[in-house]
Amino acid sequence: MDFRQLRYFVAIADSGTFSRAAETLRISQPSLSQQIRNLEDELGVELLSRHARGVALTELGQQFYDHARRILSGVERAREVMHARKGHPRGRVSVGLPTSAARNLSLPLFRELAVRAPDIELHIVEAMSGYLDDFVQGGRLDVALLYDHRAYDDVAWTEMVVEDLCLFVSSRHPWGRRRQVAFDRVFDMPLVLPGRPHALRTVVERLAARRGMTVDALDCDSLPAIARLVTSEGFGAIMPHFAFLDELARNEMVALEICDPTPSWRLSVVVSQRTVNPRGSEAVARALGDVIARLVGDGTWRASLSQPAIPALAPRTPATGDRRQPQV
């Protein structure tokens, strides 16, 4: 067994297919397959279960994956120590951005890092918040923005903003000239919402349940599709104002404030303590926090800032279920 085989195995587990891993690693797929067969032969166990859509970790493969990640992390930390005198974080950092924020946050983040950490290779993953949470827990993301983040071990996190949710309707909708709408009245129109386990769906359903109401909405996890349903099909969508800045600017949508009560959620910057590039991850987390603070400060992002910047990051292991937001 050698370090290269560990790196290959982790890449396959993270990507889910041999072909994507081979492309990322820039080696041929047959060579990659042979390396994994050699590794499995040496260990005497099956690490990966092959299926039509790719591969999945076996039970023993998951255990070996955790060990391999820790080994790779230790090697990367040693490398970072050796590079510390150069003063610049470097290497690949995977960042998960929720769909409602990615379209208006990705470019500012790329620009920020190009100036302050040009040696960082930034990889952005866009997905609904519930999936990003799972990716962080699985060690497949180094940094993420998570709404209503669930406390668990092996992460450092800082709450950044509290954001109110709005009702979006087409500018041609009869409600298009309103400024606000009562929460109970939102359900008088057909709604489209992200499906479970998205945090937004949970926020809306919990608030409705407290008022003895049930949520009947079309499930859709695609932001472009939600936009089309609002602008062309007469649906309403409960989303943060930041999600549809382009549509608002083009006067395709109107954002109504929801009152009595106003649904809101909290946005946190989360850093995995399983990252193989801790120094780079911290640099990206700080840049992300600064970009968010700047967007909130200039009014582009309608939210209340909880933290002006990301403080020093350190491992935290909050108790499961603890909803308080510890500073990291």
Side-chain angles (χ1 to χ4, degrees):
M1 185 190 313
D2 58 33
F3 177 76
R4 179 179 57 179
Q5 289 175 319
L6 296 182
R7 186 164 61 90
Y8 289 175
F9 170 69
V10 168
I12 295 168
D14 287 345
S15 63
T17 68
F18 275 89
S19 58
R20 282 199 294 267
E23 183 178 351
T24 300
L25 295 166
R26 298 182 180 179
I27 65 172
S28 69
Q29 187 171 333
S31 297
L32 183 59
S33 298
Q34 185 61 54
Q35 289 289 339
I36 297 305
R37 279 196 298 270
N38 292 344
L39 179 60
E40 289 179 322
D41 288 344
E42 180 178 348
L43 294 173
V45 299
E46 185 182 33
L47 299 173
L48 298 168
S49 174
R50 282 76 169 171
H51 53 76
R53 297 185 304 276
V55 296
L57 291 169
T58 64
E59 182 178 352
L60 289 174
Q62 181 62 60
Q63 295 179 28
F64 187 74
Y65 174 85
D66 292 337
H67 287 297
R69 290 281 302 191
R70 283 194 289 270
I71 292 170
L72 292 173
S73 178
V75 172
E76 184 61 33
R77 287 176 187 273
R79 182 182 291 115
E80 287 294 321
V81 170
M82 296 301 102
H83 286 300
R85 291 185 179 180
K86 296 182 179 179
H88 297 292
R90 61 185 65 232
R92 181 182 175 88
V93 177
S94 294
V95 180
L97 298 180
T99 301
S100 58
R103 66 196 310 204
N104 294 308
L105 192 55
S106 298
L107 183 56
L109 180 59
F110 272 116
R111 287 174 173 168
E112 184 77 9
L113 287 169
V115 174
R116 61 198 285 177
D119 293 329
I120 291 290
E121 179 188 349
L122 187 65
H123 173 61
I124 288 183
V125 176
E126 177 185 343
M128 290 293 179
S129 186
Y131 300 114
L132 295 179
D133 208 341
D134 292 339
F135 293 162
V136 173
Q137 292 186 60
R140 299 186 180 189
L141 287 174
D142 302 301
V143 181
L145 278 180
L146 297 179
Y147 289 108
D148 279 5
H149 164 62
R150 303 192 303 267
Y152 50 82
D153 294 350
D154 297 326
V155 298
W157 51 304
T158 295
E159 181 184 304
M160 285 301 303
V161 299
V162 179
E163 186 176 34
D164 291 342
L165 301 177
C166 306
L167 175 67
F168 285 89
V169 299
S170 167
S171 56
R172 301 186 303 276
H173 192 275
W175 291 3
R177 293 189 178 183
R178 294 190 181 188
R179 295 187 59 185
Q180 61 179 212
V181 60
F183 180 81
D184 293 358
R185 290 296 310 279
V186 168
F187 303 97
D188 292 344
M189 67 181 305
L191 289 178
V192 55
L193 294 172
R196 301 181 189 90
H198 195 280
L200 186 148
R201 185 65 172 254
T202 301
V203 168
V204 174
E205 289 185 342
R206 284 178 177 172
L207 199 55
R210 291 175 192 159
R211 303 174 72 80
M213 305 170 64
T214 58
V215 177
D216 182 16
L218 182 67
D219 286 357
C220 184
D221 285 349
S222 166
L223 197 68
I226 291 175
R228 291 295 299 272
L229 287 166
V230 172
T231 58
S232 302
E233 303 299 325
F235 280 80
I238 300 176
M239 296 292 288
H241 185 272
F242 193 60
F244 291 125
L245 293 183
D246 293 343
E247 288 79 5
L248 292 170
R250 294 193 297 264
N251 198 33
E252 296 172 354
M253 289 186 188
V254 175
L256 282 65
E257 298 177 5
I258 302 174
C259 59
D260 300 325
T262 300
S264 64
W265 59 5
R266 300 172 184 273
L267 176 63
S268 299
V269 176
V270 177
V271 181
S272 171
Q273 297 303 295
R274 301 170 67 184
T275 175
V276 299
N277 187 357
R279 199 153 167 270
S281 297
E282 179 171 344
V284 171
R286 289 180 179 279
L288 185 55
D290 289 346
V291 169
I292 292 171
R294 190 159 58 244
L295 290 171
V296 172
D298 67 18
T300 302
W301 194 327
R302 293 189 184 178
S304 300
L305 197 62
S306 301
Q307 295 286 342
I310 299 290
L313 295 171
R316 296 286 183 189
T317 54
T320 302
D322 183 0
R323 300 299 300 168
R324 293 173 297 172
Q325 304 286 318
Q327 295 192 10
V328 298

